[in-house]
Amino acid sequence: MVDPLAGNEQVQNLRKLFAASEVPNDPKAWDKAWVDATTPWDANRAQPALVALIAGAHDGDALVEDGTGQKVPVSQAIPSSGTAVVAGCGRGYDAKVFAERGLKSYGVDISSSAVTAANKWLEDQNLSADLKSKITFAEADFFTLATAQSAVSALAKPGAASLAYDYTFLCAIPPSLRTSWAETYTRLVGTDGVLIALVFPIHGDRPGGPPFSISPELVRELLGGQKKEDGKEAWKELAELKPKGEGTRPDVERIMVWRRL
């Protein structure tokens, strides 16, 4: 299949940055991407598919089990308290969405320039003091979260998050890190916590990446391979949804909602 992103100049420039580095997921390459404004993933707003999900756009056709086993509309299964984590947060638009929902929201990024851009964006939002206090951006390696090596003390303990959100992160990391991706979320998200994965891009063949092609099937394989200490499944898939609403891209992305068992 032809890659529709192949003609995107920013995507090509991003790939050149990583082709020039021998370090997987090189922080310096990500930082240079931000310095050079080579940021094809930056939509300058929260993702419409996420906003629509939380607003209840799928509630009429997606009833899922909550932590007690009761069937509820999918938006009600998404926590509204506790701690949210956005991996590879960029400027942090989505972190603000979770803070508005009532969670203490952490956006983490391996690039110091991304974190600087996120904090500048936050300052420009003219938010209430209460809402602003719920949002923290931090330079951190996602793969150290929920360990003693975490650069964010609030995210150093296993099960620290009640909600996690993944978008343009799984597709950005080298395939060799995908198992670690699943292991990190399994450590990070506590029992009955939720992972929302906005799976993109789901078309084309991109062996060179980033972005790399991903799919709902890949996410199922990764999370399905994770086990609890007793050997039982660590995750339950609650929903796979085709985004709908203005600004969404149903032809190239899917929303997956998972609950940590």
Side-chain angles (χ1 to χ4, degrees), residues 24-205:
N25 208 42
D26 189 350
K28 292 182 179 178
W30 286 116
D31 211 50
K32 184 167 176 52
W34 278 97
V35 170
D36 294 348
T38 305
T39 54
W41 59 84
D42 189 354
N44 201 34
R45 62 176 176 176
Q47 280 303 305
L50 173 66
V51 174
L53 171 70
I54 290 177
H58 299 274
D59 285 358
D61 48 29
L63 294 178
V64 304
E65 285 188 6
D66 65 10
T68 68
Q70 299 295 310
K71 290 283 189 177
V72 298
V74 64
S75 71
Q76 294 183 26
I78 299 169
S80 56
S81 62
T83 298
V85 178
V86 180
C89 67
R91 280 197 175 85
Y93 315 117
D94 298 317
K96 176 173 171 282
V97 171
F98 297 121
E100 290 171 334
R101 188 170 174 83
L103 294 103
K104 174 63 178 175
S105 188
Y106 287 87
V108 299
D109 205 290
I110 202 168
S111 165
S112 60
S113 294
V115 174
T116 297
N119 281 317
K120 182 181 185 306
W121 173 81
L122 184 61
E123 286 297 324
D124 292 341
Q125 297 309 296
N126 194 28
L127 304 180
S128 69
D130 179 64
L131 180 57
K132 188 176 178 181
S133 71
K134 290 183 171 70
I135 304 171
T136 299
F137 296 119
E139 181 183 351
D141 182 348
F142 166 79
F143 298 101
T144 66
L145 298 183
T147 75
Q149 286 71 48
S150 172
V152 185
S153 59
L155 304 178
K157 293 183 179 180
S162 55
L163 177 63
Y165 175 64
D166 194 282
Y167 173 65
T168 63
F169 185 71
L170 176 58
C171 72
I173 61 175
S176 61
L177 293 176
R178 287 173 176 172
T179 297
S180 296
W181 174 92
E183 292 171 346
T184 301
Y185 278 125
T186 302
R187 285 196 315 269
L188 179 62
V189 180
T191 301
D192 289 330
V194 166
L195 168 63
I196 300 171
L198 184 52
V199 185
F200 167 88
I202 61 171
H203 58 52
D205 183 16

Side-chain angles (χ1 to χ4, degrees), residues 170-247:
L170 176 58
C171 72
I173 61 175
S176 61
L177 293 176
R178 287 173 176 172
T179 297
S180 296
W181 174 92
E183 292 171 346
T184 301
Y185 278 125
T186 302
R187 285 196 315 269
L188 179 62
V189 180
T191 301
D192 289 330
V194 166
L195 168 63
I196 300 171
L198 184 52
V199 185
F200 167 88
I202 61 171
H203 58 52
D205 183 16
R206 306 175 182 84
F212 295 91
S213 295
I214 59 174
S215 66
E217 291 74 23
L218 172 64
V219 175
R220 288 190 185 97
E221 177 184 344
L222 293 171
L223 294 181
Q226 296 298 303
K227 307 295 180 183
K228 299 193 292 183
E229 291 183 359
D230 60 7
K232 294 181 179 179
E233 299 289 327
W235 293 94
K236 178 180 178 61
E237 181 180 348
L238 300 182
E240 178 192 334
L241 305 166
K242 194 171 186 178
K244 55 185 178 180
E246 184 178 355

